[in-house]
Amino acid sequence: PISTFDEDSGSVVKSERMLYAPLLSGRAITFLSDSIKVDLQVRALDQVDLTELYESIPVIISERILEFEMPDGKMTRVDPFKTTGDLSSESWTICSFDLKDATGAGMRVRFESPVQVKLTKPIRYRPEAPYAASVQVILQPSMKSGEVQRMSYHIQSLKSVQE
């Protein structure tokens, strides 16, 4: 992996070739006044025909509420602990998701356009550790050589969203 920091834009830029497929992943993480913006780019270096391809957004879910915002604006509570197998068989098309505690404190991940997601099964690495899961943004698993997929999302404090 190659990482650089651009002081003028406040961005960390990272690129790396994926080990399991002829793909080059590029990510720019920009620190804004009210959010962190993530721009992802995946470029096929050759023909790619994978079974699945995801952008994984890890979440600590112990004692947290996970809600998906649907394209119609409605918030839907989701229980990752009902996931069967390593990855949910159900997928959702969402615009954002909130992860918060009982007081409402937490974070929002807002996508620049609706995305389809699945959830991983919650796990903990040690008995004293919190449960963690991942919101898996579904990417196109087949790409022609030179083809590029892009997506962007913002991570915000729910406090800054409510102000």
Side-chain angles (χ1 to χ4, degrees):
I2 298 170
S3 297
T4 59
F5 181 71
D6 181 340
E7 287 189 41
D8 293 334
S9 67
S11 298
V12 173
V13 179
K14 176 185 173 196
S15 64
E16 67 182 306
R17 184 168 175 162
M18 294 186 185
L19 297 175
Y20 59 86
L23 293 169
L24 182 63
S25 147
R27 181 180 312 275
I29 302 168
T30 306
F31 300 90
L32 304 170
S33 63
D34 65 343
S35 67
I36 298 169
K37 183 179 182 194
V38 179
D39 292 301
L40 173 70
Q41 176 177 294
V42 178
R43 177 182 304 277
L45 302 173
D46 198 351
Q47 178 68 32
V48 177
D49 290 302
L50 302 171
T51 304
E52 54 194 14
L53 183 61
Y54 302 100
E55 162 74 347
S56 296
I57 303 173
V59 292
I60 302 295
I61 57 165
S62 291
E63 301 175 21
R64 300 289 188 275
I65 298 164
L66 178 63
E67 293 181 321
F68 289 162
E69 180 191 8
M70 304 302 174
D72 64 5
K74 292 182 182 173
M75 297 300 285
T76 300
R77 187 175 289 193
V78 180
D79 185 355
F81 289 97
K82 291 186 178 176
T83 299
T84 57
D86 292 334
L87 187 64
S88 63
S89 56
E90 185 175 3
S91 66
W92 300 266
T93 299
I94 66 171
C95 298
S96 70
F97 69 86
D98 290 356
L99 185 69
K100 56 191 174 184
D101 65 16
T103 70
M107 70 170 196
R108 171 168 294 160
V109 175
R110 180 178 44 83
F111 300 97
E112 292 203 346
S113 58
V115 295
Q116 191 174 10
V117 299
K118 289 187 170 194
L119 291 172
T120 61
K121 182 178 182 177
I123 60 169
R124 60 184 352 170
Y125 294 100
R126 300 182 306 276
E128 65 275 8
Y131 278 95
S134 181
V135 175
Q136 301 281 85
V137 180
I138 299 171
L139 301 176
Q140 184 58 251
S142 296
M143 299 170 66
K144 296 177 184 170
S145 182
E147 188 175 352
V148 176
Q149 293 186 63
R150 292 180 176 86
M151 66 168 290
S152 298
Y153 55 94
H154 290 260
I155 304 168
Q156 297 176 270
S157 157
L158 281 174
K159 182 179 178 182
S160 68
V161 170
Q162 296 164 354
E163 291 177 346

